[in-house]
Amino acid sequence: PYYVDINQDLFLEAYLHSSDSNLVLFVDTCVASPTPHNFTTVTYDIIRNGCVRDSTYATYYSPYNHMVRFKFNAFQFIHYSPSVYLQCELVVCRSYDYSSRCYQGCITRSKREASS
């Protein structure tokens, strides 16, 4: 566990350990939950499908393609739990493969039209 105060900035860094220097790391989704075993029912999206959902989220410069750095403000689930659990999904891609998920950025899914 990592203990922080409410509204304190929480800084995270993810690093891909690989001998292949031609890899890129991309933060696709980060979801917070009041329980460590359920990231689907009661959740809070910090970033989803590459789209930032939390206004306090920010990325930071990384000297390496295979490292990502970001931050957001710590919070608590009101009336649920003083603890918040974080689950992030990262994508690994080949450098300069502009058709890969890492270079697509935010993906918004279009809504389907209801048929008559």
Side-chain angles (χ1 to χ4, degrees):
Y2 188 77
Y3 298 97
V4 295
D5 293 325
I6 299 299
N7 294 325
Q8 180 181 346
D9 283 339
L10 181 61
F11 296 89
L12 291 98
E13 176 179 275
Y15 184 89
L16 176 65
H17 294 275
S18 173
S19 59
D20 188 345
S21 62
N22 292 317
L23 297 177
V24 175
L25 196 56
F26 175 73
V27 180
D28 182 72
T29 299
C30 276
V31 179
S33 170
T35 64
H37 308 294
N38 184 349
F39 284 90
T40 56
T41 310
V42 179
T43 61
Y44 176 79
D45 289 349
I46 296 167
I47 183 168
R48 167 87 55 189
N49 297 321
C51 303
V52 175
R53 302 289 188 212
D54 183 295
S55 62
T56 66
Y57 177 91
T59 57
Y60 287 91
Y61 168 77
S62 169
Y64 308 105
N65 286 342
H66 53 276
M67 176 191 292
V68 291
R69 294 175 172 169
F70 59 97
K71 72 100 180 165
F72 62 92
N73 279 118
F75 58 93
Q76 78 177 44
F77 281 89
I78 300 170
H79 306 299
Y80 289 106
S81 169
S83 298
V84 175
Y85 298 87
L86 186 66
Q87 184 178 62
C88 294
E89 295 176 18
L90 298 124
V91 180
V92 178
C93 305
R94 288 256 166 234
S95 295
Y96 310 110
D97 178 2
Y98 298 111
S99 64
S100 71
R101 175 67 191 97
C102 296
Y103 291 95
Q104 293 172 359
C106 174
I107 296 178
T108 55
R109 297 210 165 99
S110 59
K111 295 178 181 176
R112 289 189 239 174
E113 187 177 316
S115 60
S116 51

